[in-house]
Amino acid sequence: MAYENLEVLAPAGDMERLDAALDFGADAVYLGGTAFGMRAGPKNFDAAALKAAVEKSHERGGKVYLTCNTLPRNNEIPYFEEFIKYAADCGIDAAIVADLGLMSLIKKFTPDLEIHMSTQTGIVNYVTARELYDMGAKRVVLARELSLDEVAEIRGKTPADLDIEVFVHGAMCVSFSGRCLLSSYLVNRDANRGQCAQPCRWGYHLMEEKRDGQFFPVFEDEKGTYILNSKDMCMIDHLDKLAKAGVTSLKIEGRAKSAYYVSVITNAYRMAVDILKKDPENYALPDHVREEVFKVSHRDYCTGFFFGHPSECRQYYEDSGYIRSYDVCAVVDKCENGRIYAEQRNKFLLGDELEILAPSQRPVKYTVTELQNADGELVENTCHAAMKFSMPNTVGIDFPPRSIIRKKA
């Protein structure tokens, strides 16, 4: 099994999150332009930003996959030729598509561009995967509803040079492979065109037709029940099983999530993959790596459908909120002359107990004994948004730029 080629694929919703992914060890990033992508919420990348993103990623040895995986309507098709030609000229490494029409246009307009078939395509069997390969796909992103055994069978019955990608971490959709009509139906925001309002996260009540205006909780919760709210996926303890099943790329969900999330989760999976490569037959995570996935905002974790559908993988009914045990306080700018220079993200105080996280390193405990503002004046806290500050480097480690400073929430 080619563990050495296992890819960590991270999300990038804007340039800050692209930097986070690259800093913390992503082999590749997936990102969207200003059209044809499945996440309309993030800033995404306009023409100039896309070119800069590809250049930056390639300089640092990373690949860029452009999401073109909406289901476009007739009026959008005439704009696709210019869009995909420009993206190819920028040097993107692949386009991710779900629509067979767009796939045919990519082959027509940019015949040398690698094509990855999105999870939105709903690939659940080897016949479909083989057919897409014969049509020109280099990679298939399998539906999230598959078990490990089904993934392994697809691998065993498809050409060896067809890449197989699966989601390994992040939010899961209540609808099959993300093909959902709820958002369009309820609020006229099309989930299949990147505008999902996430009605699956809302609280719902029951109303009897003859008792208009009287709402009844489905069970005893005054806020309603979250009957459609799915848990988050986390497969970090099972990367060896994914590799044995023939997975090529490990995809982290989260283009709409923060740079802190991208940094921490990418870092955790980077370290986990490196541990796997060193001793694939005895894969076991140190606690400090496993604990990282709990230090970002998340819902209760499960393993999706990879091991079937046990009770722990069902919906989470109590609420739609996130579990958050840590807050990012600052991002390191540099370390020099015995001090750590950083930029504030959230307020913290003298005496606070912090952690500093650098790429591929165990987080380091740090106690705030002194703070100076940008003018070198002593201060008691970092109370101004994005303020520049410094503090003594009492741990003696030269943390690289964009290392994360955080504290317990």
Side-chain angles (χ1 to χ4, degrees), residues 16 19-20 23-24 259-260 263 328-336 338-346 348 354-359 364 366 386-393 395 397-406:
E16 181 185 13
D19 284 331
D23 286 340
F24 283 86
Y260 172 68
S263 298
V328 57
C329 296
V331 177
V332 173
D333 288 332
K334 61 182 178 180
C335 289
E336 65 180 27
R339 298 192 70 80
I340 300 169
Y341 294 83
E343 183 176 282
Q344 184 255 33
R345 292 293 182 268
N346 283 292
F348 64 94
L354 308 179
E355 281 187 354
I356 305 178
L357 179 68
V364 177
Y366 179 93
M387 70 176 283
K388 298 286 188 178
F389 68 92
S390 70
M391 52 192 187
N393 191 347
V395 294
I397 298 171
D398 286 336
F399 298 101
R402 291 191 288 271
S403 293
I404 301 296
I405 301 173
R406 65 191 178 195

Side-chain angles (χ1 to χ4, degrees), residues 19 21 62 181 186-187 208 238 274 276 304 345-346 357 371 380 383:
D19 284 331
L181 295 176
L186 294 176
V187 293
E208 202 275 325
H238 307 288
D274 290 345
L276 174 63
R345 292 293 182 268
N346 283 292
L357 179 68
L371 286 169
E380 294 186 354
C383 58

Side-chain angles (χ1 to χ4, degrees), residues 270-330:
R270 172 77 277 150
M271 290 191 289
V273 168
D274 290 345
I275 290 167
L276 174 63
K277 289 178 179 179
K278 287 180 180 178
D279 189 3
E281 298 307 315
N282 298 289
Y283 179 64
L285 286 181
D287 287 343
H288 78 269
V289 176
R290 182 183 297 103
E291 289 167 1
E292 285 300 300
V293 301
F294 296 96
K295 294 181 179 181
V296 299
S297 291
H298 64 282
R299 300 179 182 91
D300 274 0
Y301 284 129
C302 73
T303 54
F305 294 88
F306 283 116
F307 300 101
H309 196 276
S311 59
E312 64 94 12
C313 286
R314 294 176 183 158
Q315 306 306 97
Y316 184 70
Y317 301 113
E318 295 182 18
D319 59 52
S320 63
Y322 284 91
I323 302 165
R324 191 185 74 198
S325 57
Y326 278 77
D327 288 324
V328 57
C329 296

Side-chain angles (χ1 to χ4, degrees), residues 157-220:
K157 294 181 178 179
T158 53
D161 60 339
L162 175 67
D163 291 347
I164 291 180
E165 180 180 307
V166 298
F167 280 91
V168 296
H169 195 95
M172 295 181 66
C173 182
V174 70
S175 186
F176 182 82
S177 291
R179 290 202 169 201
C180 186
L181 295 176
L182 276 178
S183 186
S184 287
Y185 181 76
L186 294 176
V187 293
N188 197 30
R189 286 174 54 179
D190 192 343
N192 298 305
R193 299 171 75 196
Q195 300 169 350
C196 185
Q198 295 197 331
C200 56
R201 309 297 182 191
W202 300 350
Y204 290 89
H205 287 74
L206 178 70
M207 187 178 73
E208 202 275 325
E209 64 176 343
K210 294 180 181 180
R211 293 173 173 81
D212 188 35
Q214 295 184 42
F215 300 97
F216 304 94
V218 177
F219 61 89
E220 59 280 359

